Amino acid sequence: MSSVDEEDIHVPKDHPRAESIRIRERLIEGFKEGFVVVAGLIAHGRGEAFDYILGEKTHKFAKIAEEAAVAALLLAINPVISVNGNTAALVPHEIVQLSKLLNAKLEINLFYRTKEREEAIKKVLEKAGAEKVLGVGDSASATIPELSHSRRKVDPEGVFIADCVMVPLEDGDRTIALRKLGKQVIAIDLNPLSRTAQEASITIVNNITRAIPEMIQITQNIIKLSANAG
Ligand code: PTJ
């Protein structure tokens, strides 16, 4: 489920690329609603190309990384999931569900930060069930040293004090800066050669539209196992 009503998207069901087109349409809708940036559409095209080459499926290496990421987030004292425009467009319900299961905070962090986009993404997440969204307006009052762009602004209750941060679909600078601060960084990035993918502590080379639902499943399995063991 996305923030966009699937009924509004007229993709013929029998189209051989129907799923890919539907996913693309979510970005377009997010763009029309003002919370996805033009560069987000370009980034999606790059992701699509890698996904196509990788066979549009979850590889074993991705599944292992997803399991490691869930374990790291469950073991963290202050886990945070960072959300940008593309993530909000592609997996709003799933990212909220995962944050609740993992007891991880949700923080908006944008490369192209504007008040309007922050508010729009906050609304998308709240509509998807989020109770608290960090990083909006004046609450992003702390700063990550060494970063000159808007991603340096973080929430003192969130990324600033986090020991483990998941950063889906990011550019590399912040990952490097967060690692220098001693934080564990989990990347979701279809480009295994990107600086984010190369610099993160754990890199999930998979489409976020598959990775997050799979991480939900992995978390639910772990919770069930520990309930049975306890
Ligand atoms: O919403 P903002 O202002 O924070 O801006 C977001 C973008 C995505 C524009 C910004 O973070 C950016 O410019 O990112 P990059 O540097 O283009 O990196 C995005 C990475 O995500 C690229 O390596 C893409 O291959 C990858 N990617 C794109 N779509 C997906 C993806 N990885 C996983 N799943 C996808 N669906």
Side-chain angles (χ1 to χ4, degrees):
M1 288 282 285
S2 76
S3 64
V4 181
D5 188 346
E6 301 286 332
E7 304 256 313
D8 290 344
I9 300 168
H10 304 293
V11 183
K13 282 197 171 62
D14 59 350
H15 191 291
R17 304 286 308 153
E19 181 58 15
S20 176
I21 296 171
R22 256 195 298 272
I23 292 172
R24 191 183 291 175
E25 291 287 343
R26 290 187 211 161
L27 264 298
I28 296 169
E29 286 299 319
F31 175 70
K32 285 184 192 158
E33 288 173 28
F35 65 88
V36 170
V37 279
V38 178
L41 303 179
I42 297 168
H44 185 72
R46 195 157 54 241
E48 263 187 3
F50 277 103
D51 206 20
Y52 195 88
I53 292 164
L54 289 166
E56 295 175 321
K57 62 176 187 187
T58 299
H59 288 268
K60 181 95 180 123
F61 54 76
K63 196 67 193 290
I64 292 168
E66 287 164 13
E67 287 166 354
V70 167
L73 287 159
L74 282 171
L75 289 170
I77 295 162
N78 276 308
V80 173
I81 300 175
S82 180
V83 180
N84 66 8
N86 286 42
T87 300
L90 291 173
V91 284
H93 295 87
E94 296 86 344
I95 210 87
V96 171
Q97 190 186 351
L98 183 63
S99 77
K100 286 184 179 173
L101 283 170
L102 292 167
N103 218 357
K105 292 169 187 162
L106 285 172
E107 176 165 339
I108 297 174
N109 186 271
L110 304 175
F111 189 81
Y112 302 96
R113 191 181 267 278
T114 65
K115 185 125 189 51
E116 292 71 25
R117 289 190 68 217
E118 288 170 17
E119 292 293 344
I121 294 170
K122 183 173 181 246
K123 272 201 195 113
V124 169
L125 294 175
E126 284 174 346
K127 204 173 153 200
E131 278 141 35
K132 191 165 182 189
V133 180
L134 302 176
V136 180
D138 294 340
S139 77
S141 58
T143 305
I144 302 176
E146 294 186 39
L147 279 187
S148 51
H149 52 73
S150 305
R151 281 211 194 281
R152 75 183 183 282
K153 290 185 188 170
V154 292
D155 198 307
E157 273 187 60
V159 170
F160 192 68
I161 56 160
D163 49 348
C164 183
V165 189
M166 183 156 83
V167 293
L169 282 59
E170 271 231 5
D171 54 285
D173 288 10
R174 194 167 69 129
T175 299
I176 297 167
L178 292 173
R179 292 281 283 134
K180 278 191 186 158
L181 289 173
K183 301 177 194 293
Q184 266 195 313
V185 180
I186 299 163
I188 303 177
D189 194 329
L190 275 160
N191 177 3
L193 304 174
S194 77
R195 278 184 310 146
T196 306
Q198 296 278 325
E199 299 289 342
S201 324
I202 299 170
T203 297
I204 300 167
V205 179
N206 201 2
N207 198 317
I208 192 172
T209 59
R210 288 189 299 273
I212 301 296
E214 286 163 5
M215 288 176 74
I216 290 171
Q217 191 62 58
I218 293 164
T219 311
Q220 285 170 334
N221 290 347
I222 293 176
I223 292 170
K224 216 183 286 168
L225 277 176
S226 33
N228 290 343

